Amino acid sequence: MARSDDGKRNFALRDTSGNESSVFSGRTPRQAALKAARRLDPAGSEGEADRVELRLREKGTKKVHHYEGWAWKESAPDDKPDWMPDRITKANVAKKGIEHLEEI
């Protein structure tokens, strides 16, 4: 398992065909999944958000982490920094399981 000096691991986003399009880093698979979910098309609210399957393969392993992810827009907090827009994208994920690949 390849880890950087700061403990972050790389996770490749896979489609149903096994093609890997993007790489997200994080200390945990969930952290990488949240980053991937923020790239989804955001809904107007969390309740309206479509749930999308996210499959992340940990680089250097045969483990694929399955998540359900969704994203939505909401108002930024009152104490937001000046550079932050008034509406921000939020995301959430739910773990569905782990798949072990035969080969990479």
Side-chain angles (χ1 to χ4, degrees), residues 40-76:
L40 298 172
D41 189 26
S45 70
E46 185 174 9
E48 298 169 1
D50 291 329
R51 270 52 174 174
V52 175
E53 181 185 15
L54 300 171
R55 302 172 76 233
L56 295 163
R57 182 181 64 82
E58 187 170 351
K59 293 284 207 163
T61 73
K62 296 181 181 182
K63 283 188 201 172
V64 179
H65 301 269
H66 290 261
Y67 286 89
E68 183 178 70
W70 60 98
W72 68 95
K73 290 276 193 184
E74 70 178 40
S75 297

